[in-house]
Amino acid sequence: MEHLNIAEFNRGQSSRLLKELAAADKTAYIQKNGKPIAVVMSYERYLRLCEKGVDINEY
C-alpha cells in the first residue's frame, strides 16, 4: 500500500494522485505529520469488497 502525504494534496496534486491510484487499481494511506489519517482506494477495488460482502461502513 502506498503512503501519500497530505501536503501533496494541498499543493494541487490530488487530481493526478487519484487518477494514478484509480488507473493502477491501488490503495493508499494519506498521512499527515507521518501518521495515517485516511485510506483511499480505487472504485473497482471498493466494488470488489462490496461483492465479497465487506461493508466498510460497519467498522
Side-chain angles (χ1 to χ4, degrees):
M1 188 177 299
E2 289 190 47
H3 299 270
L4 304 173
N5 194 309
I6 193 72
E8 295 176 78
F9 285 86
N10 292 339
R11 283 186 244 142
Q13 300 295 313
S14 59
S15 180
R16 180 186 61 82
L17 293 169
L18 292 174
K19 284 179 187 177
E20 289 174 4
L21 281 174
D25 192 26
K26 290 186 176 180
T27 305
Y29 289 110
I30 308 299
Q31 295 182 343
K32 183 175 182 178
N33 299 325
K35 296 181 181 179
I37 60 169
V39 174
V40 179
M41 68 179 70
S42 69
Y43 185 65
E44 288 78 17
R45 186 173 296 265
Y46 171 75
L47 288 177
R48 286 195 306 272
L49 287 172
C50 290
E51 287 173 2
K52 291 184 178 188
V54 177
D55 183 0
I56 62 173
N57 295 308
E58 288 182 14
Y59 298 97

